[in-house]
Amino acid sequence: LIDRDIHNFLSKIFDNVEDVFNNHHEEEIESFIQATISVLYTIEGDLDTKTTVNMIVSNIIKGSTNPRLRLKSLISLLNLVIENEVKYDILVSLFEYSQQSNQNKLVYHLYKQIDNWVITWKLTDIQSRLLYQLIFKILSSINENSISLIYLIKYLNTFKDESYPIEVEQIATTALVSAIKSPVASFADRNALLESFQKQKSPQGDLLHLIKLLNIICTDKLEAFSSYLKNSKDILEKYSINPSDIQYNMRLMSLCAIGCEKTNLTYKEIAKALDISEDDVENWVVEAVGQGLMTAQIDQTTNTVCVSRSAHRSFGIDQWKSLQQKLKSLKSKVNVVVESIKKHSI
């Protein structure tokens, strides 16, 4: 058989692949796929594997019956073929078909291998971008929100020094609004998204205003939000962002911020940072402790709050320096205790 005959032979078989998926068991179909790939790699010659495999894939995904079996067949193909370029094409088709057939739960676990494939297959930025976009959509559809955010950020980061196309702006805007509305404890997710957007070249319009708001939430003070609110009420209304929710979150984050700076806080200091009356200080501390944002004790006799742990809004160079100083102090105290034990043991 010459190479063209092999392709034509397999093409005739897969033209009738509907009979295979409708009338055979899963084990038989898997054996059928394995036998097909064996033919491709055991016949000597210059067979265009990419063209032949793409023909096989297109025939598998053109039907709608037994979508689960079709996806499992694509996964088998992915594992059996050798060429990275062909693997990439199969994976793209697999992800697209899983969305079309509402079978995303069957393939979402493949996200764990995406980063490795990007490296080992030596994918271009354009190819990586498509994979990140597809897996982001798959993960989002099954409410794997934390993981989907990771791949959304990877997707957005492929636009190096580029302006987002219109369809990407829509995805980015949705992600920004979601981050702005996210629970106060979602520090890491918000900061990771902000870092990605700060790499964006000259954002415009709503995207620019929403990035500014996210930056305020992540890094700035309550008074900065009050200033933003004066000029951007229409943006908040457009995206159904409740200013009261933002103020609530920022007060809690402000409390966490000063709790990271000092271990002993006066009611006056807290009231000033949160822009509240001293009578409300205890309620806000209790709220922060209840949400797991800090560990603290209230001393009503001295109107002070002793903070033993507080969540960081972000963790940059200043936070690393602070941690370094705390570790040095702890080490010094431990050394004093050790020396005291040595003296008493003698």
Side-chain angles (χ1 to χ4, degrees):
L1 291 175
I2 60 173
D3 300 335
R4 185 176 61 187
D5 290 336
I6 297 171
H7 178 88
N8 291 338
F9 171 69
L10 292 175
S11 179
K12 288 180 180 179
I13 293 175
F14 277 89
D15 280 344
N16 299 299
V17 78
E18 292 304 301
D19 291 336
V20 175
F21 285 107
N22 291 331
N23 300 309
H24 291 77
H25 295 297
E26 183 174 331
E27 295 79 8
E28 294 174 320
I29 295 173
E30 186 173 351
S31 297
F32 169 65
I33 296 295
Q34 289 176 349
T36 301
I37 298 303
S38 294
V39 169
L40 290 180
Y41 289 111
T42 54
I43 301 297
E44 295 183 358
D46 298 319
L47 179 66
D48 185 353
T49 307
K50 179 180 174 69
T51 300
T52 303
V53 172
N54 284 343
M55 174 274 296
I56 292 171
V57 169
S58 65
N59 277 286
I60 289 175
I61 65 177
K62 72 180 180 183
S64 57
T65 58
N66 289 327
R68 191 179 71 85
L69 282 178
R70 294 175 192 272
L71 281 169
K72 294 194 82 170
S73 297
L74 291 176
I75 292 174
S76 294
L77 270 177
L78 178 66
N79 292 328
L80 289 168
V81 298
I82 299 172
E83 299 86 353
N84 291 337
E85 183 181 3
V86 182
K87 283 179 175 288
Y88 172 79
D89 289 342
I90 295 171
L91 187 60
V92 169
S93 297
L94 190 157
F95 283 160
E96 289 176 342
Y97 184 72
S98 75
Q99 293 179 71
Q100 295 168 12
S101 58
N102 295 316
Q103 297 290 319
N104 288 335
K105 285 188 176 181
L106 187 63
V107 303
Y108 86 95
H109 66 280
L110 294 174
Y111 82 85
K112 299 174 183 177
Q113 301 182 65
I114 294 292
D115 290 334
N116 179 55
W117 284 332
V118 166
I119 295 170
T120 57
W121 296 352
K122 298 180 180 179
L123 300 184
T124 65
D125 283 346
I126 300 300
Q127 290 173 319
S128 302
R129 179 181 297 171
L130 179 56
L131 281 192
Y132 290 142
Q133 181 187 35
L134 289 170
I135 198 63
F136 157 68
K137 289 181 177 179
I138 288 169
L139 291 165
S140 297
S141 73
I142 58 174
N143 297 318
E144 290 285 351
N145 297 324
S146 295
I147 306 172
S148 70
L149 177 61
I150 292 172
Y151 287 93
L152 171 60
I153 291 170
K154 290 178 183 291
Y155 169 61
L156 294 174
N157 285 343
T158 63
F159 294 90
K160 300 172 183 175
D161 298 321
E162 299 178 52
S163 296
Y164 295 140
I166 293 176
E167 65 273 15
V168 179
E169 274 199 18
Q170 294 171 347
I171 295 173
T173 299
T174 300
L176 272 167
V177 173
S178 178
I180 289 166
K181 293 180 178 180
S182 64
V184 66
S186 303
F187 297 107
D189 290 348
R190 278 193 298 268
N191 283 298
L193 194 61
L194 176 62
E195 184 179 345
S196 176
F197 283 121
Q198 287 174 334
K199 299 174 184 176
Q200 171 61 17
K201 181 181 178 181
S202 305
Q204 302 291 328
D206 289 2
L207 197 63
L208 175 62
H209 287 287
L210 290 170
I211 291 172
K212 284 183 178 179
L213 178 54
L214 184 61
N215 184 61
I216 290 171
I217 292 171
C218 289
T219 65
D220 221 325
K221 297 179 180 179
L222 192 62
E223 59 187 11
F225 174 66
S226 299
S227 176
Y228 175 90
L229 190 58
K230 292 177 183 177
N231 303 313
S232 305
K233 282 186 177 180
D234 54 334
I235 289 290
L236 301 188
E237 290 174 0
K238 181 176 180 178
Y239 294 101
S240 302
I241 299 170
N242 188 337
S244 297
D245 292 341
I246 303 297
Q247 288 173 331
Y248 169 82
N249 285 348
M250 289 203 67
R251 282 195 169 103
L252 286 174
M253 287 188 284
S254 296
L255 180 55
C256 290
I258 60 173
C260 290
E261 295 170 0
K262 293 178 64 178
T263 56
N264 289 294
L265 302 168
T266 65
Y267 282 22
K268 185 176 181 180
E269 288 172 324
I270 295 173
K272 182 180 179 181
L274 274 61
D275 192 23
I276 57 174
S277 71
E278 290 188 33
D279 292 338
D280 293 328
V281 166
E282 291 180 10
N283 291 334
W284 281 97
V285 172
V286 169
E287 185 71 14
V289 171
Q291 292 198 30
L293 298 173
M294 64 166 42
T295 302
Q297 290 183 324
I298 297 172
D299 188 339
Q300 293 178 323
T301 60
T302 59
N303 283 354
T304 58
V305 176
C306 180
V307 180
S308 55
R309 180 192 64 83
S310 184
H312 287 272
R313 291 174 70 179
S314 60
F315 211 90
I317 187 66
D318 292 337
Q319 286 72 36
W320 281 113
K321 288 180 179 179
S322 175
L323 179 60
Q324 184 182 42
Q325 291 300 319
K326 289 179 180 179
L327 289 173
K328 284 182 179 179
S329 176
L330 179 61
K331 182 179 179 181
S332 177
K333 291 176 181 178
V334 169
N335 287 337
V336 170
V337 173
V338 170
E339 289 300 320
S340 176
I341 292 173
K342 285 181 178 178
K343 287 179 181 179
H344 285 86
S345 62
I346 297 172

